[in-house]
Amino acid sequence: MASILPALICASEKSANIARACKREEELFQLLIEEKKGPDKNKKFVQDFKTLADVIIQEVIKNDIAEKFPEVAPHIAGEESNKFENGLGETITVKVCKTEQETAELLGKVLDGNLKAAGLLAKCIHESVCINDPDLQKLTIDIPIDTIGIWVDPIDSTNQYIKGQFEDKFKDGIHTHGLKSAAVLIGVFDRNLGQPIMGVINIPFHEVDSDLRWRGKYYWGISYKDINIYSVPKQNPAHNQLSIVMSSSEKESIKKALAPLCGERMYYACGAGYKGLCTILGLVDAYVVTEDTTFKWDTCAPHAILKSLGGGFVNLAKTLSQPKDGDHGGFPELQYTRPDQGAKQSDKWANIGGFVAYRSREQLEAIINALSLTAENTTSR
């Protein structure tokens, strides 16, 4: 079973290559930023090429993992549908074909005959990617493969991927926006228990090298039974004040409630995966979301990695509803097997009730106590 982790990482790296190619190759980049106006708006799929980039990456991940582990194929799910309508009104199912030529021909139909762009994408899709990582070769973990499922977010923070630039400006190591927040997320969970057990986060635009080319970086973690292994150094920030990252659109009442804990160490950033990674890397102590704006594919990968470090993702609404004088030994962690209670059909895989991603139990309790006061004040009005 340990061999599935290298397969996930290889799939994430091929996906990162595709994401970089779409920004680098002029033929693809023009499609990426194009938006048709007037009567043509939303009628041709070319104008929404960003969604095609998402779907291609999702299908590459599903294809490459299924080739090595066919029994997992029915249990790989992601954010995007792979069916599209081109300018001729044809409904086309995007998939990875057996040969590069066949894939190029299929993509050419989706892209209304743009064979050059289709060929560039097909080349990336069929390129072999190998990872030379000695730490992966040492892994010997027995996890039954017939009980796992996989959540895929092909390009988390899509808007920043499309519009963003590589942003050198940041605060305390945290980028508020830009390409840095775009991420490929692959999370593995136990289908019986719903718990995350393995995660890969790939940042395609981690840095720019001396030749002004983007270079990526990946992170991984495994948490299964009493086994916890990860690729990131476990950090203990040398400061007394708690630090939290959240979306800038978070409610003002929440920001106000957490301000006494954080002071100036309250940060804002784009992308659920990136904010989760900030928590994993110890750039912040926690990541807070109070709305139903994230989904299982956003959180499964970072949850697994954070869990391997001794942290986790707790359901915020359920935690706040627990009796204050009750036993807090069982904060409810996010689950990944079935929709959350109260989820609408259109958003059935949303993380209903929000969450807190945390590094330590003590810090989690401080955040929950602060938000409990806000919840009580809101209820009493």
Side-chain angles (χ1 to χ4, degrees):
M1 173 58 191
S3 61
I4 196 169
L5 179 58
L8 298 180
I9 292 173
C10 284
S12 80
E13 191 61 18
K14 181 185 285 189
S15 302
N17 288 343
I18 295 170
R20 287 188 288 264
C22 288
K23 296 289 282 190
R24 180 185 66 243
E25 300 289 348
E26 184 65 20
E27 192 75 22
L28 298 177
F29 183 65
Q30 288 304 317
L31 289 175
L32 199 64
I33 63 175
E34 179 181 356
E35 183 170 350
K36 293 188 180 297
K37 306 295 182 182
D40 289 332
K41 185 174 176 62
N42 294 328
K43 288 188 177 180
K44 291 188 177 181
F45 180 69
V46 177
Q47 74 87 30
D48 200 16
F49 179 73
K50 62 184 181 183
T51 305
L52 180 60
D54 265 323
V55 171
I56 286 172
I57 289 175
Q58 180 174 289
E59 293 306 305
V60 162
I61 292 171
K62 290 169 65 175
N63 177 80
D64 288 11
I65 294 173
E67 278 190 348
K68 296 178 181 178
F69 304 94
E71 60 270 54
V72 179
H75 307 291
I76 305 174
E79 178 179 7
E80 306 292 347
S81 166
N82 64 340
K83 295 185 184 299
F84 298 103
E85 184 176 307
N86 66 8
L88 299 176
E90 300 171 318
T91 299
I92 300 167
T93 300
V94 173
K95 63 180 180 178
V96 178
C97 301
K98 290 184 179 180
T99 68
E100 181 178 327
Q101 181 61 34
E102 289 175 317
T103 300
E105 291 174 358
L106 176 66
L107 294 177
K109 293 179 181 178
V110 179
L111 293 170
D112 291 338
N114 189 332
L115 299 182
K116 184 175 181 180
L120 288 168
L121 285 170
K123 181 179 179 181
C124 293
I125 290 169
H126 287 271
E127 279 182 341
S128 297
V129 174
C130 297
I131 300 295
N132 183 20
D133 191 332
D135 291 337
L136 297 177
Q137 298 172 5
K138 300 175 185 176
L139 291 177
T140 54
I141 302 173
D142 185 19
I143 303 175
I145 200 164
D146 58 350
T147 63
I148 69 169
I150 298 176
W151 279 114
V152 175
D153 191 344
I155 306 179
D156 187 51
S157 194
T158 306
N159 286 337
Q160 290 302 309
Y161 167 62
I162 302 300
K163 301 175 182 178
Q165 299 297 319
F166 190 84
E167 179 59 64
D168 287 329
K169 295 180 181 179
F170 51 86
K171 183 179 180 182
D172 297 335
I174 299 170
H175 294 252
T176 60
H177 62 281
L179 285 172
K180 185 80 171 186
S181 62
V184 178
L185 309 175
I186 308 176
V188 179
F189 63 95
D190 185 310
R191 298 203 316 273
N192 295 327
L193 302 177
Q195 298 175 350
I197 56 179
M198 187 181 301
V200 174
I201 299 177
N202 195 308
I203 304 297
F205 306 96
H206 175 70
E207 61 186 0
V208 176
D209 64 18
S210 57
D211 295 323
L212 300 180
R213 292 176 302 185
W214 288 298
R215 296 178 65 86
K217 187 175 179 63
Y218 63 82
Y219 307 85
W220 56 266
I222 301 172
S223 182
Y224 181 71
K225 294 184 177 179
D226 59 347
I227 299 171
N228 290 289
I229 309 171
Y230 41 83
S231 67
V232 297
K234 190 171 183 179
Q235 311 238 349
N236 292 308
H239 55 80
N240 296 323
Q241 198 169 45
L242 223 159
S243 57
I244 295 175
V245 68
M246 63 182 75
S247 170
S248 60
S249 62
E250 188 57 74
K251 295 192 290 285
E252 290 301 319
S253 60
I254 300 301
K255 297 176 185 178
K256 185 176 180 180
L258 296 174
L261 294 177
C262 304
E264 295 183 356
R265 297 184 61 81
M266 184 180 291
Y267 305 97
Y268 305 104
C270 296
Y274 177 67
K275 289 193 281 286
L277 181 61
C278 287
T279 313
I280 290 165
L281 297 178
L283 298 174
V284 294
D285 299 310
Y287 162 30
V288 175
V289 175
T290 64
E291 302 289 342
D292 306 339
T293 52
T294 68
F295 297 82
K296 304 303 179 187
W297 49 77
D298 292 313
T299 56
C300 188
H303 190 168
I305 302 174
L306 200 52
K307 188 180 171 195
S308 74
L309 289 159
F313 278 60
V314 298
N315 182 293
L316 179 56
K318 289 181 180 179
T319 300
L320 290 175
S321 68
Q322 292 179 337
K324 289 191 68 175
D325 57 351
D327 178 17
H328 285 300
F331 282 126
E333 295 273 328
L334 298 188
Q335 299 291 303
Y336 296 92
T337 303
R338 52 187 174 272
D340 288 345
Q341 186 175 2
K344 298 178 181 178
Q345 182 62 31
S346 58
D347 292 327
K348 70 175 184 177
W349 295 113
N351 292 312
I352 302 299
F355 61 80
V356 177
Y358 65 96
R359 292 178 56 81
S360 83
R361 181 61 173 264
E362 181 181 357
Q363 294 163 343
L364 172 63
E365 291 181 352
I367 293 169
I368 295 302
N369 288 337
L371 294 179
S372 294
L373 295 175
T374 300
E376 288 172 5
N377 291 337
T378 302
T379 303
S380 62
R381 288 173 186 169

